[in-house]
Amino acid sequence: MTGSYGLSRRPSVPASILKYYLYKGTKAVEFYRPIMYLFFLAQDLSFTQIVVLESIYNLTTVLGEIPTGYVGDRLGRRNSLLIGTALIAVTLLGIGLAGSFLAFAGLYVCWSMGYNFRSGSEDAWLYDTLTDDLSADQFAHVRGRGDAVALAIGAGAAVTGGYLGSLDLSLPWFVAAGVTALGVPVLLTVEDPETYEGSDTTLGFRQSLGIIRDVLSRSHIRALVLYYYVLYAAVTYLVFVFLQPVFETVVTDIGVPPTAIESLLGVFYAAYSLVGAALSYYTGVIKERVGMRVWFLLLPFLVGGALVGMYFVPLLALPTFLLARGLADVTQTFAGQYVNDRIETVGRATVLSAMAMVSGLTVIPFQLGSGVISDLVSPLFALAVAGIVLIGGSGAILLWEHPISE
């Protein structure tokens, strides 16, 4: 029965799913995330240069998503994940060793390409594997459990990264590179699913673009792209970018000494990950009890209202960040389930990469605009403006069409 899959109900979890959970556990972003922008500032980068690096990352995402998704459909999901994982591990090592803006810019291009190779292929591999071993209806449940594994491990990684950062801001990058590299031997033990192997995957590039046009021409998918992949994803990306400077401002205002910021950020990111892990673990239950349609109806107004509210009461920023983290992976999983249910195996990775490309393209003007507003006023004001845009834009889309069909 849909939604009943779990370790307690089904002891014999397919080996492919166990390997998927293990692979998710090697995503070591929480080691460096608590000290990421502090590290760049310590390398004498200005905040403007940091924003430019983020824009380079997203521009590379835009230019690389469809080609890498196409490669994922041609070479296989597993091989695409292998290339991406190896590239990310090498890039993290390079960032820890680099010391100039130009070096970071080149590494950011490689970093983005690594995630491009993984973005569409990961969900495409999981969806087709579930079609073989369980049921495609289990996608939200299994992906949610995988996110919970990654986030639970990330909680410990965040505390460790904060501590290592207090010793040397380069150390978290080196540890993250080593843990990410463990994903390579895990991926070498998995195979592409039979559903994928048995399909005609000899797509030409024009065919791939045709598939994308066909998918985006469907009204409910087009509405979801605008609602989630364009508007919501861009606004919540700003939340993650501005978390550290806002956190530092809020906690120092209540008397926390500046010398304790790195370690305290590690603890906060651990809590941040645990909230996300708890919600992700119950993704399947949320889907059954709440439903994706209600979830997407309420989501932007809840998050947008919280962003506006924390401008007037800055201390609200801390629970708002936890809320945004907790909702992020569940929402991404629901969007992936919805789109996967409406596309074919052939071209699946290409279409999912195209969705990520849309998000990457949209976030660039949001990013640059928020940087200017932050310099002129404050990051809190920039996030409040983003919240207003999220509420207003979401309301306009809903007047046109609900993004989730029955």
Side-chain angles (χ1 to χ4, degrees):
M1 181 173 64
T2 301
S4 63
Y5 175 75
L7 293 180
S8 62
R9 297 289 299 274
R10 294 176 186 243
S12 56
V13 181
S16 58
I17 304 305
L18 290 175
K19 291 175 182 177
Y20 170 73
Y21 292 152
L22 188 58
Y23 159 73
K24 293 286 282 188
T26 66
K27 290 190 168 185
V29 297
E30 299 301 340
F31 281 105
Y32 59 80
R33 185 171 280 169
I35 54 84
M36 181 174 175
Y37 297 108
L38 301 180
F39 169 78
F40 289 135
L41 292 170
Q43 307 306 311
D44 295 325
L45 268 63
S46 66
F47 190 73
T48 299
Q49 287 176 313
I50 293 172
V51 171
V52 170
L53 287 177
E54 294 289 340
S55 298
I56 289 172
Y57 182 98
N58 286 295
L59 183 61
T60 304
T61 297
V62 170
L63 297 176
E65 276 291 359
I66 291 180
T68 53
Y70 171 73
V71 170
D73 279 323
R74 293 281 291 188
L75 298 184
R77 323 292 201 214
R78 194 279 302 268
N79 290 337
S80 185
L81 291 173
L82 273 171
I83 294 170
T85 299
L87 189 55
I88 291 169
V90 172
T91 301
L92 293 176
L93 178 63
I95 290 175
L97 295 171
S100 70
F101 173 75
L102 289 178
F104 287 128
L107 288 164
Y108 256 67
V109 172
C110 296
W111 203 5
S112 178
M113 288 299 294
Y115 277 101
N116 281 353
F117 274 107
R118 296 209 301 194
S119 64
S121 295
E122 181 178 314
D123 279 357
W125 178 89
L126 177 62
Y127 194 89
D128 287 338
T129 296
L130 289 171
T131 301
D132 290 347
D133 296 343
L134 290 169
S135 166
D137 289 341
Q138 296 291 336
F139 177 85
H141 180 82
V142 174
R143 192 187 190 282
R145 292 290 170 90
D147 287 336
V149 169
L151 290 167
I153 292 174
V159 175
T160 303
Y163 171 73
L164 292 174
S166 68
L167 301 176
D168 187 327
L169 289 170
S170 296
L171 288 177
W173 298 95
F174 299 147
V175 175
V179 174
T180 300
L182 294 176
V184 172
V186 174
L187 290 169
L188 288 172
T189 67
V190 306
E191 302 290 341
D192 277 319
E194 292 179 8
T195 296
Y196 170 79
E197 295 285 2
S199 63
D200 179 11
T201 58
T202 57
L203 283 174
F205 195 68
R206 288 185 179 179
Q207 288 175 288
S208 297
L209 293 178
I211 290 172
I212 294 171
R213 283 195 300 270
D214 175 64
V215 170
L216 293 180
S217 68
R218 303 172 194 175
S219 60
H220 289 296
I221 291 183
R222 186 171 61 240
L224 180 66
V225 168
L226 291 174
Y227 194 78
Y228 171 73
Y229 288 97
V230 170
L231 193 57
Y232 182 81
V235 170
T236 53
Y237 185 89
L238 299 182
V239 175
F240 302 141
V241 168
F242 287 113
L243 186 153
Q244 290 177 29
V246 170
F247 179 90
E248 185 173 7
T249 299
V250 170
V251 298
T252 52
D253 284 348
I254 61 175
V256 174
T259 54
I261 295 297
E262 289 88 349
S263 297
L264 195 57
L265 271 169
V267 174
F268 183 78
Y269 270 88
Y272 183 78
S273 294
L274 288 173
V275 171
L279 283 176
S280 294
Y281 186 83
Y282 291 105
T283 298
V285 176
I286 294 171
K287 180 175 175 246
E288 290 182 351
R289 301 287 177 84
V290 178
M292 288 195 287
R293 189 175 175 86
V294 174
W295 181 272
F296 279 102
L297 176 64
L298 299 178
L299 181 72
F301 302 100
L302 179 63
V303 173
L307 292 177
V308 174
M310 72 186 201
Y311 174 72
F312 298 99
V313 185
L315 200 58
L316 289 177
L318 302 184
T320 297
F321 291 147
L322 293 176
L323 171 71
R325 166 69 271 176
L327 300 178
D329 291 304
V330 175
T331 308
Q332 186 179 33
T333 298
F334 285 164
Q337 172 88 66
Y338 184 83
V339 174
N340 267 301
D341 285 345
R342 287 157 180 78
I343 57 179
E344 303 298 327
T345 293
V346 177
R348 189 184 300 280
T350 303
V351 171
L352 294 176
S353 287
M355 300 300 180
M357 183 199 74
V358 169
S359 289
L361 177 64
T362 305
V363 79
I364 293 173
F366 273 80
Q367 205 169 50
L368 296 176
S370 66
V372 172
I373 294 173
S374 296
D375 287 334
L376 292 175
V377 187
S378 71
L380 274 172
F381 184 77
L383 289 176
V385 171
I388 293 171
V389 171
L390 178 59
I391 292 171
S394 299
I397 294 170
L398 285 170
L399 288 175
W400 167 50
E401 184 167 25
H402 198 294
I404 302 294
S405 64
E406 294 290 354

